Amino acid sequence: MADLSALLLLGALSLLGVILYLAIHYSVRPGAKPGGIDDPLRRAFLRYSVLASLVLVLGHAWVGVEEMFRSLTRQIKLEPVYVANLRELEPGSAVSFMMPVDPDMLPADHPCILIRLTPEEAQRAGRELVAYSARCTHLGCIVEYLETDGREIYCPCHAGIFDPLTGNPISGPPKRPLPEVQLRVEEDGSIYAVGWVGQGEQGE
Amino acid sequence: MSRASEGPSLRERWTLKWWARVHGGCKIPLHALSPLNGLGGLAFLMLLIEAVTGIILGMYYEPRFNEANLAYESVVAITENLKYGWLLRGIHYHAANLMIVLSLLHFLKTYIAGNYREPKGLCHVVGILTGLLAILASITGYSMRADHIGAEAILIGQTLVKYMPMGGLLFRMVYGVGTMDDALIRYNAYHYALGALLIGLVLLHVWFSHRHHAAPPMDDGPSIPAMPVFPNFLLSVLSGVFMVLGGLVLLSVAFPPHLGVKYVPGEPVPPGVPEWYMVGDYTLIKSGINPVIAGMVVPLLAVTPIALMPWIDSSGPRHPRHRRFAMTYLSVFMAEFTLMTVWGYLTPGQQVLLSQQLPAALAVAVLAAIPAHCATRPRVVKFGAPEAKRVEKKPILPWRNIASWVMAMPVGVVTALLGCQVALALLGWYWNHLGLQRLYAMSLGASLFALGVVLLVAKSALFDLDMLRRRPT
């Protein structure tokens, strides 16, 4: 990052400043022998100038290296993704789909899950359709929607459980909620994923 | 009980002080301080640079053809879309070429100086093998670009393998079913494998020369210890490494890497001329006879006496003028290599018939052999001291003048260079911010070079002046 390179550059500059200061300070000291081979300060100056030079080159190179590895991961604009048709989706069932961007809007194949809540759940949640990232917020395993045991989102890796109504973790190791997908339902019942809820505010 | 009997602890072993105590006594002999003795090390440095840049390039390269030549497209993407991808490619390309040049020069130097004599015979053979494999690694490398030159190299390679004995089976093993897809994905694997093999072979080569020490002087004179390995010589090497790195960056800015015309099967492409070290072989293949004999058997037969030279030319004085056969053979070999290379460049896409090549090769062989023969004497085995009069050389460093200049004002030089580096870093940061990649790369190359000079000046003032002062007069 540019901040780190700035820091390195600043560090090198301060180091250089200290060296220059000490060199000038010592050379005007009465009785000193500036420039002699055995002058300890002159030796120290030469030693640390090599270090300063190296730090300068490393900071310089870091700017380009960082730019290089970053250059192929620019944010992209998301086109709506067709997920399913509302008429083909039973209440209390789920369908999985793929988002071409991750919650940071960087290009990725991000697995997601669309759930049509049962009528009583829908009443509690105030909506019928919810969609979340299917990658567990613990270590990134793929979560699944269990239709049997009390209807929950379950991660098979370390038994994390999420609330299908909100995406919040209920039990197990996950501590953060699943990122939620923004949905749009057309008049013919087609469901589209149009983005991530709160994208721009949350920076993971 | 006592620590001394247990030897150094693991922690002590990792300190420079321990290393200096063990190896500090080693001194590089005076005759080996010549810059010509650094050619092999520089070639190894190029190989290491190839490894680092190659691994990063491999993260973005796609070894797939898939009808639309995706490999070529990925090379274009590395050059144009990946920031500083052109710089990486440039360093990879130039370091590969320089690796071949430096290996060849290193070979010439050691051969002419007679360094291959026992006990270094095996080291010499390993070196020749390494050189040949380096060429093979470079061929697989430029084939992976899948431009018209690379595709032609792949097609020629496929034909060569087919013409070999047991060609059918060998072809399946090397090229799979023979599609471009199969060739590219295999070349990708071979390229990495050859790189790893090369590093192993070079380490073996270095280990040999470490065990056998520097070869004695060409005139069989005494070996005078001159410069301690630690820290004087090692710091010189390190400063050279930084200067070479900076130079490579600047070279890539000045000469961006080459990329030919996209190869699409069925579409006409311009006649391709391979990289310079293969042009001679390419001329031989154009002779119209069996390509395996022309392009592989003949060059390997020509190299064989060179590889076996430690046992052909095994005794007598080491100076080149006393080694008539070795020097005449080298002269003819290099003349033929030059002839075929120049001829290949003059006749792109044309045939050069065997009936034309044979007389020309014979004439050049005679022309090259005569001066080498006249400049050398037949082998005379002398007993006792080979030369009566020998001028005693004083152990003076070859760069004494620079050292005395540095002695005058090292602090001023270093301060000026550091100031330049600060300015370059600031400018580079700004240029990168503006997206001016070539200017940024230029400033980085210059800064790297300056680091090398700073290290050299500081090291000379800190250690070499002491060494010179301590030298008994």
Side-chain angles (χ1 to χ4, degrees):
Chain A
M1 52 212 85
D3 306 12
L4 186 57
S5 10
L7 207 65
L8 280 172
L9 202 62
L10 198 68
L13 282 173
S14 356
L15 197 58
L16 190 70
V18 170
I19 294 165
L20 277 176
Y21 171 80
L22 283 177
I24 294 165
H25 177 75
Y26 249 79
S27 62
V28 297
R29 199 178 56 160
K33 250 195 346 180
I37 292 174
D38 300 317
D39 181 352
L41 197 92
R42 185 170 164 288
R43 296 185 79 90
F45 174 87
L46 289 171
R47 275 170 198 274
Y48 282 104
S49 61
V50 173
L51 191 65
S53 184
L54 187 67
V55 170
L56 274 169
V57 165
L58 288 179
H60 199 153
W62 178 255
V63 174
V65 170
E66 189 257 341
E67 186 84 10
M68 189 189 88
F69 281 108
R70 217 169 246 267
S71 65
L72 289 188
T73 54
R74 294 278 181 241
Q75 293 204 344
I76 58 167
K77 210 170 169 310
L78 175 68
E79 298 288 320
V81 182
Y82 175 76
V83 181
N85 196 301
L86 190 59
R87 276 172 240 153
E88 294 158 8
L89 203 59
E90 295 291 318
S93 68
V95 62
S96 58
F97 62 100
M98 215 48 117
M99 286 281 274
V101 292
D102 66 10
D104 296 332
M105 298 306 278
L106 293 175
D109 285 329
H110 200 96
C112 294
I113 186 165
L114 169 73
I115 303 166
R116 183 171 181 184
L117 301 172
T118 57
E120 58 269 28
E121 280 176 338
Q123 206 171 13
R124 270 195 287 146
R127 54 191 173 154
E128 196 179 6
L129 291 167
V130 286
Y132 305 105
S133 158
R135 297 201 59 181
C136 180
T137 54
H138 176 221
L139 288 177
C141 293
I142 309 296
V143 298
E144 55 197 73
Y145 179 64
L146 294 187
E147 298 177 15
T148 48
D149 304 331
R151 299 188 186 281
E152 59 203 14
I153 300 174
Y154 173 74
C155 176
C157 285
H158 305 98
I161 295 173
F162 296 90
D163 183 1
L165 268 57
T166 57
N168 288 329
I170 296 172
S171 77
K175 292 285 171 278
R176 285 170 295 140
L178 293 169
E180 192 175 344
V181 179
Q182 186 97 53
L183 296 172
R184 192 178 72 208
V185 186
E186 299 283 312
E187 283 177 8
D188 63 345
S190 308
I191 306 165
Y192 287 92
V194 294
W196 295 93
V197 172
Q199 201 280 316
E201 289 145 43
Q202 64 172 37
E204 297 243 332
Chain B
M1 172 85 196
S2 68
R3 290 277 293 112
S5 64
E6 293 166 16
S9 74
L10 199 61
R11 185 155 176 270
E12 283 164 341
R13 268 173 180 271
W14 283 101
T15 58
L16 278 175
K17 267 185 189 161
W18 178 82
W19 207 88
R21 191 155 51 81
V22 174
H23 299 278
C26 294
K27 280 193 171 179
I28 306 288
L30 183 63
H31 69 275
L33 279 179
S34 153
L36 291 177
N37 278 43
L39 292 168
L42 279 176
F44 186 28
L45 172 64
M46 294 302 153
L47 181 59
L48 296 180
I49 293 171
E50 289 299 285
V52 174
T53 52
I55 284 169
I56 303 175
L57 285 171
M59 295 172 190
Y60 297 99
Y61 175 71
E62 252 184 287
R64 280 198 298 152
F65 196 79
N66 205 3
E67 291 169 11
N69 202 343
L70 294 180
Y72 183 89
E73 292 304 330
S74 76
V75 176
V76 171
I78 287 171
T79 317
E80 288 168 9
N81 298 352
L82 179 67
K83 287 263 180 80
Y84 302 112
W86 60 271
L87 181 62
L88 270 180
R89 266 201 66 214
I91 294 174
H92 198 72
Y93 174 82
H94 289 301
N97 266 315
L98 280 173
M99 181 172 74
I100 307 282
V101 175
L102 290 164
S103 307
L104 190 61
L105 292 176
H106 171 65
F107 155 71
L108 286 176
K109 191 263 155 192
T110 46
Y111 186 96
I112 290 170
N115 292 359
Y116 53 71
R117 291 267 178 93
E118 289 292 6
K120 287 176 178 268
L122 199 53
C123 183
H124 174 76
V125 174
V126 169
I128 298 284
L129 190 64
T130 312
L132 294 177
L133 282 177
I135 290 179
L136 200 58
S138 307
I139 297 170
T140 53
Y142 74 72
S143 297
M144 280 159 71
R145 295 192 307 227
D147 56 358
H148 67 289
I149 297 169
E152 196 181 298
I154 291 176
L155 297 177
I156 291 175
Q158 288 177 332
T159 316
L160 282 180
V161 170
K162 255 185 207 155
Y163 272 102
M164 280 187 201
M166 290 179 70
L169 178 64
L170 211 57
F171 186 86
R172 287 282 176 275
M173 288 164 78
V174 178
Y175 284 104
V177 292
T179 57
M180 238 7 181
D181 261 312
D182 271 15
L184 285 174
I185 202 156
R186 278 166 175 73
Y187 269 43
N188 195 38
Y190 299 151
H191 193 61
Y192 284 100
L194 281 168
L197 187 63
L198 274 179
I199 290 185
L201 278 174
V202 172
L203 286 179
L204 187 66
H205 188 71
V206 168
W207 182 74
F208 275 135
S209 32
H210 176 71
R211 286 298 291 251
H212 300 133
H213 305 294
M218 229 162 41
D219 57 0
D220 290 299
S223 194
I224 305 161
M227 190 192 264
V229 171
F230 185 89
N232 306 54
F233 186 71
L234 265 183
L235 286 174
S236 281
V237 168
L238 196 60
S239 73
V241 166
F242 287 128
M243 285 190 231
V244 167
L245 280 174
L248 265 179
V249 172
L250 291 176
L251 194 65
S252 308
V253 175
F255 305 100
H258 180 76
L259 184 60
V261 181
K262 181 174 177 176
Y263 170 75
V264 180
E267 282 184 22
V269 287
V273 176
E275 296 290 331
W276 63 272
Y277 39 84
M278 285 309 290
V279 174
D281 200 53
Y282 169 74
T283 313
L284 291 177
I285 289 175
K286 290 195 293 187
S287 63
I289 61 168
N290 183 328
V292 175
I293 292 175
M296 296 176 85
V297 176
V298 168
L300 285 178
L301 277 180
V303 171
T304 307
I306 288 179
L308 295 180
M309 203 52 82
W311 299 281
I312 296 170
D313 165 45
S314 56
S315 60
R318 199 179 278 265
H319 197 280
R321 74 170 164 268
H322 298 289
R323 291 187 290 129
R324 174 168 276 176
F325 178 73
M327 294 317 294
T328 310
Y329 191 79
L330 179 71
S331 172
V332 172
F333 181 86
M334 289 313 291
E336 298 292 354
F337 180 77
T338 314
L339 167 74
M340 292 304 168
T341 304
V342 172
W343 210 342
Y345 273 117
L346 292 178
T347 56
Q350 300 162 30
Q351 228 186 359
V352 185
L353 291 172
L354 186 68
S355 54
Q356 296 167 296
Q357 286 196 20
L358 263 183
L362 277 174
V364 164
V366 172
L367 279 178
I370 288 171
H373 186 88
C374 294
T376 51
R377 292 173 218 151
R379 196 166 78 187
V380 185
V381 181
K382 286 183 185 170
F383 295 98
E387 300 280 328
K389 48 174 184 178
R390 169 172 299 123
V391 185
E392 278 299 322
K393 287 177 190 164
K394 283 181 187 170
I396 299 170
L397 295 175
W399 33 270
R400 182 186 44 168
N401 293 335
I402 300 175
S404 63
W405 173 74
V406 163
M407 196 185 335
M409 48 174 200
V411 172
V413 171
V414 164
T415 310
L417 282 169
L418 279 174
C420 289
Q421 275 191 294
V422 171
L424 281 170
L426 289 172
L427 278 173
W429 193 20
Y430 185 58
W431 281 331
N432 174 67
H433 183 69
L434 293 181
L436 301 169
Q437 295 185 35
R438 294 187 70 170
L439 282 175
Y440 166 82
M442 207 176 68
S443 65
L444 178 63
S447 192
L448 262 169
F449 194 88
L451 167 60
V453 180
V454 165
L455 181 56
L456 186 68
V457 170
K459 165 252 175 191
S460 295
L462 285 171
F463 302 114
D464 292 347
L465 295 185
D466 277 6
M467 184 184 75
L468 287 176
R469 212 163 39 148
R470 263 187 268 119
R471 178 166 57 83
T473 44

